[in-house]
Amino acid sequence: MKRVEGKVALITGGASGIGLSAATLLAKEGAKVVIADFNIEGAKEHAAALVKEGYEASAVFLDAGNAKSVEEAVDFTVEQYGTITVLFNNVGLTNIHKDLDVVNIDLDEWDRLVNVNLKSVLLGSRYAIPHMQKAGGGSIINTASMAAFASDQIRTAYGATKAGVVNMTKYIATQYGKDKIRCNSIAPGLILTPAAKNNMPDDLLDIYTKYHALPYHGEADDIGYAVVYLASDESKFMTGQTLQIEGGHYIANPTIEDQNAWAASQK
Ligand SMILES: NC(=O)c1ccc[n+]([C@@H]2O[C@H](COP(=O)([O-])OP(=O)(O)OC[C@H]3O[C@@H](n4cnc5c(N)ncnc54)[C@H](O)[C@@H]3O)[C@@H](O)[C@H]2O)c1
């Protein structure tokens, strides 16, 4: 038996990066997957490629911050496969030219990110939960970010909305746990997806890697495999949690380099 055999999964932002990895791995582990994305051409192409390989997959257009569009994507999933038992609320973004520090942030960008990064989690869950209740349970997985826990000079709205995702995860887990609906988040550190590559030049990426405990970058599958675990019954006693998958970037005392320099200067 495969790890998520018989489950029906809707993956938002599934046409690229982390969402595409999760959709692919879930399909290979036996789930029926719906790839929902703004980029419908990309979603269709990836679903067709999975079908060609013998897996069950479909595509649907999604505008993740729009209630009607999210409801339609959930309805499509249920029409296609009879239910929905896994929801991966994965869409999230920022624009580093507009999402600035508190004084200078573009207020329209703030509103857009609250909608796309945070309200999208509420919307997906709101429309999927009644189907999960009917099915006797389900698993909701949200993509947060380490930006929920560690601040930055810019990306104020991104960090604030991702912190909201971490907390909403606990609310969903609390409110629907008795219906056997679990809700967990994943907080990725830097993962080399198209979004990260577009937002960050190579020399900036290298600065990040220098501070990882591990000597390499994170990749989309490092998150995709965690999604399979959280979607599967292997994690059946886990809810309301946030898995931090970040190469050990945030585990060390940040003064270590200065302390080492100080110790060397004492010799
Ligand atoms: N890549 C990283 O380093 C990193 C780190 C922490 C958290 N994250 C989070 O991971 C998630 C996925 O990021 P990624 O790096 O895989 O990005 P990506 O750009 O590779 O993929 C995002 C997908 O979402 C789709 N999308 C964007 N806006 C949408 C909308 N409004 N409605 C529907 N679809 C939409 C895009 O078309 C794209 O296919 C995001 O929530 C992001 O904040 C990423």
Side-chain angles (χ1 to χ4, degrees):
M1 171 119 168
K2 291 182 173 177
R3 294 173 69 192
V4 285
E5 188 95 50
K7 307 221 184 260
V8 175
L10 173 63
I11 296 107
T12 79
S16 173
I18 289 169
L20 178 57
S21 163
T24 306
L25 294 172
L26 285 167
K28 291 186 176 179
E29 286 296 341
K32 297 168 180 152
V33 302
V34 174
I35 299 177
D37 206 289
F38 214 70
N39 171 9
I40 183 61
E41 290 313 317
K44 280 185 181 164
E45 196 182 301
H46 292 300
L50 285 170
V51 170
K52 207 168 166 200
E53 285 183 64
Y55 306 112
E56 293 205 57
S58 310
V60 66
F61 173 81
L62 175 74
D63 177 1
N66 178 296
K68 189 162 179 289
S69 176
V70 176
E71 187 174 21
E72 283 170 5
V74 170
D75 288 350
F76 172 87
T77 306
V78 175
E79 277 158 26
Q80 200 76 3
Y81 299 120
T83 186
I84 172 171
T85 49
V86 175
L87 170 65
F88 185 27
N89 283 315
N90 167 64
V91 165
L93 39 82
T94 186
N95 177 337
I96 55 169
H97 304 294
K98 293 182 174 177
D99 183 7
L100 301 173
D101 59 272
V102 166
V103 170
N104 294 299
I105 185 171
D106 177 319
L107 292 179
D108 289 337
E109 182 67 0
W110 170 273
D111 289 344
R112 185 176 80 105
L113 295 194
V114 168
N115 209 41
V116 174
N117 293 0
L118 184 55
K119 190 175 171 194
S120 62
V121 173
L122 173 85
L123 293 173
S125 307
R126 177 188 184 90
Y127 295 118
I129 283 168
H131 296 290
M132 292 181 174
Q133 287 169 320
K134 243 187 256 168
S139 176
I140 298 172
I141 303 146
N142 303 319
T143 305
S145 165
M146 288 308 294
F149 305 107
S151 58
D152 204 341
Q153 295 294 349
I154 60 166
R155 303 199 304 161
T156 308
Y158 185 74
T161 54
K162 292 298 190 178
V165 170
V166 168
N167 211 34
M168 205 195 307
T169 298
K170 297 180 194 170
Y171 275 78
I172 296 167
T174 300
Q175 292 171 0
Y176 302 100
K178 291 287 192 279
D179 296 326
K180 298 188 188 162
I181 296 170
R182 298 183 297 110
C183 183
N184 294 287
S185 291
I186 298 171
L190 180 62
I191 304 294
L192 282 197
T193 62
K197 286 186 202 153
N198 290 340
N199 264 331
M200 299 172 79
D202 283 352
D203 47 350
L204 187 54
L205 291 173
D206 290 342
I207 292 176
Y208 264 81
T209 312
K210 180 179 161 197
Y211 286 94
H212 293 350
L214 296 168
Y216 40 80
H217 289 303
E219 295 172 354
D221 282 357
D222 295 323
I223 309 302
Y225 283 114
V227 174
V228 173
Y229 169 67
L230 292 174
S232 79
D233 297 340
E234 294 162 12
S235 58
K236 76 179 175 47
F237 199 47
M238 180 173 173
T239 196
Q241 307 301 314
T242 297
L243 277 181
Q244 301 184 1
I245 302 178
E246 39 75 284
H249 190 90
Y250 296 85
I251 57 175
N253 181 327
T255 66
I256 275 184
E257 290 227 337
D258 289 347
Q259 288 189 49
N260 287 343
W262 178 85
S265 76
Q266 301 300 303
K267 283 182 187 155

